Amino acid sequence: MLATLDLTTLTVTLTLVTLSMTMLLALAAWHAGTEQGLRHWVLGNCALMLGLLLNVNQQQLHHSLSIVLANGLMTLGLGVIWLGVRAFKGRSQPQWGPICLTALTMLLLWFFRFQINHFETRYAISSIALGGLCLLCAKELLIRAPQPLRTAYWFSGSIALLYGFCLVARPVAALLGWQQSLPLLDSPLQNLTLLGAMLAQIGMASGFILMTHYRTALALHRLSERDALTDTLNRRSMQEQARALLELMAQRNQPVTLIMVDADHFKRINDEFGHQTGDAVLCHLVSRIGQHLRSDDLLGRFGGEEFTLLLPGLDTERAAQVAERIRQGLCANPWQHKSQPVWLSVSLGVACSEHHGYDFNTLLGAADAALYRAKGLGRNRVELAPAPGSDLEDQMALRLLSQFRHNLDV
């Protein structure tokens, strides 16, 4: 059946498929804005399409165009697609690689056509160059990645891997006589290669669009749960993740400590240096806090200049030590504004599940009371949450005094 297929028809069909996929990728690139990689894939497919158009007209065009230039364009197209995969992943794009490979391929094809006319060698050169680039694309894509992006990676990478092996194996198959008694260009092997190219073109283009879609979905999901300025968890996400973590620690019967952190006199920084500096100081605050956190700790912006930390596995004493290190680190490392230090201190309230249980709202209330106590006693200090049943009037007095000082910012 493969032997009865017309080679020219297959090549023209592949060219039209490539054109369709190029237009589809161009449309996706138009809507993706600054998304890295899509423009590379559009340009790569354009080069592939031009190479195929030249290659299909070997009877009408000079072989310098239909063989040398055609295969050079196809090699360059796959090389640009490989660069696009690396760009999509945020990796460097060594442009000299595809350019050098294209130049070498064209030089070898020219030599084995016009100096030594040896078709089998040209066939092997083009197969290895194109197949090698497909395998490089597969190597970039068949990696660990977060779901659902990994699905799109592995979908595109598996297609590139399969077709790359097919291309590299073509010369071996030809040498073993799998093309039967027909010339290579009219053999079932060549027809099978073109059919595979059509499927690979459609599959990889679809995979690239899926990769872009999933990347956008992940970015939107991240925006929905992260604070835009400090990249910490926002209040809603912090509450959701904290409750899940508290439930897990309760099942394991392990302590969890919640720390409330509030920047002292932050309004003065905004008034004296401007809100842009104030934003930079908040990011500096988050950076300094992050130096004392472990991978499973949670940090969220609760509102304004107030942040919440959840430290699983730490009791009151150890968590208080972490809080003290955070306070001292901030005091010793001011933010530099135009070579002028912007000094910042924080007040911290610490509440542990040992005394207040594993309910998030209860822990938050206890840590908040401790924070107000730290504010009321002069700021720039760490206070532990009072045990349940302590004098409520004293707590309320400290809270009112702290609120009064906060309003006056003294």
Side-chain angles (χ1 to χ4, degrees):
M1 177 180 177
L2 288 174
T4 62
L5 293 175
D6 181 65
L7 179 64
T8 303
T9 302
L10 280 174
T11 310
V12 171
T13 304
L14 177 56
T15 305
L16 292 175
V17 168
T18 304
L19 176 60
S20 302
M21 293 299 100
T22 302
M23 294 176 64
L24 190 61
L25 286 169
L27 184 62
W30 176 271
H31 289 287
T34 58
E35 183 68 67
Q36 296 292 320
L38 273 170
R39 289 178 176 83
H40 289 82
W41 297 330
V42 173
L43 292 174
N45 274 273
C46 286
L48 279 172
M49 180 183 64
L50 291 175
L52 287 167
L53 284 173
L54 292 174
N55 190 255
V56 76
N57 292 292
Q58 291 190 22
Q59 304 299 324
Q60 290 79 30
L61 297 175
H62 192 271
H63 281 182
S64 62
L65 296 177
S66 61
I67 294 178
V68 179
L69 181 60
N71 282 279
L73 283 171
M74 288 189 285
T75 302
L76 181 62
L78 279 176
V80 173
I81 289 174
W82 172 68
L83 293 178
V85 174
R86 290 179 65 89
F88 184 85
K89 294 166 57 182
R91 302 187 65 186
S92 62
Q93 296 94 57
Q95 299 179 7
W96 55 266
I99 293 174
C100 291
L101 180 60
T102 299
L104 178 61
T105 301
M106 293 177 67
L107 179 62
L108 291 173
L109 290 173
W110 176 86
F111 181 82
F112 285 103
R113 172 60 185 87
F114 297 106
Q115 298 299 314
I116 302 175
N117 189 10
H118 198 273
F119 176 79
E120 286 76 10
T121 303
R122 297 199 306 271
Y123 190 74
I125 290 169
S126 61
S127 297
I128 292 172
L130 297 174
L133 287 169
C134 285
L135 294 178
L136 283 177
C137 291
K139 179 178 180 293
E140 294 288 343
L141 291 168
L142 296 175
I143 60 171
R144 292 182 180 180
Q147 286 287 22
L149 195 57
R150 183 174 61 187
T151 300
Y153 273 7
W154 281 67
F155 177 76
S156 303
S158 298
I159 293 174
L161 180 66
L162 181 61
Y163 193 62
F165 274 128
C166 290
L167 286 172
V168 172
R170 282 201 311 172
V172 178
L175 290 174
L176 293 176
W178 291 2
Q179 81 279 11
Q180 301 172 0
S181 60
L182 297 171
L184 281 175
L185 285 178
D186 295 324
S187 68
L189 179 62
Q190 181 69 3
N191 293 338
L192 182 62
T193 301
L194 291 175
L195 284 172
M198 275 187 265
L199 295 175
Q201 190 70 25
I202 296 171
M204 289 190 68
S206 302
F208 292 152
I209 294 173
L210 276 177
M211 286 161 57
T212 305
H213 169 70
Y214 289 148
R215 166 77 65 81
T216 303
L218 287 173
L220 290 174
H221 177 71
R222 182 176 179 83
L223 284 174
S224 70
E225 65 177 16
R226 311 293 292 192
D227 176 63
L229 174 63
T230 61
D231 198 37
T232 58
L233 296 172
N234 59 32
R235 185 166 182 162
R236 177 187 59 81
S237 184
M238 180 67 185
Q239 290 175 333
E240 291 176 355
Q241 295 192 34
R243 288 193 172 98
L245 182 58
L246 285 166
E247 182 178 349
L248 177 64
M249 299 306 288
Q251 294 174 357
R252 297 177 177 177
N253 196 28
Q254 295 180 0
V256 185
T257 299
L258 189 146
I259 301 176
M260 295 287 290
V261 183
D262 188 71
D264 298 328
H265 304 298
F266 189 73
K267 184 175 181 298
R268 289 184 182 178
I269 295 177
N270 280 332
D271 292 342
E272 183 175 351
F273 297 99
H275 287 277
Q276 285 187 340
T277 300
D279 291 344
V281 170
L282 282 182
C283 293
H284 171 68
L285 168 62
V286 169
S287 176
R288 298 300 307 182
I289 292 175
Q291 295 179 9
H292 302 279
L293 300 184
R294 304 159 300 171
S295 59
D296 55 347
D297 294 334
L298 300 181
L299 171 61
R301 188 179 183 185
F302 211 67
E305 63 273 17
E306 194 171 53
F307 295 85
T308 304
L309 287 74
L310 196 65
L311 310 178
L314 296 189
D315 56 19
T316 304
E317 182 180 354
R318 294 171 62 195
Q321 294 172 358
V322 173
E324 182 61 24
R325 288 197 295 269
I326 291 173
R327 187 193 68 80
Q328 292 178 2
L330 282 164
C331 289
N333 295 276
W335 169 254
Q336 297 294 327
H337 174 68
K338 298 178 180 179
S339 302
Q340 178 183 358
V342 180
W343 297 96
L344 178 70
S345 67
V346 290
S347 301
L348 303 98
V350 180
C352 183
S353 60
E354 295 174 310
H355 305 296
H356 303 280
Y358 292 93
D359 179 73
F360 176 73
N361 290 329
T362 302
L363 273 176
L364 185 68
D368 188 51
L371 173 64
Y372 272 99
R373 180 178 180 86
K375 292 283 188 181
L377 293 176
R379 295 187 172 93
N380 191 21
R381 59 187 295 131
V382 176
E383 285 293 324
L384 305 182
S390 58
D391 196 330
L392 295 179
E393 292 185 0
D394 290 345
Q395 294 182 36
M396 183 59 68
L398 284 170
R399 190 179 184 92
L400 291 173
L401 176 59
S402 174
Q403 189 64 47
F404 178 70
R405 286 185 173 182
H406 177 72
N407 292 335
L408 292 179
D409 198 28
V410 297

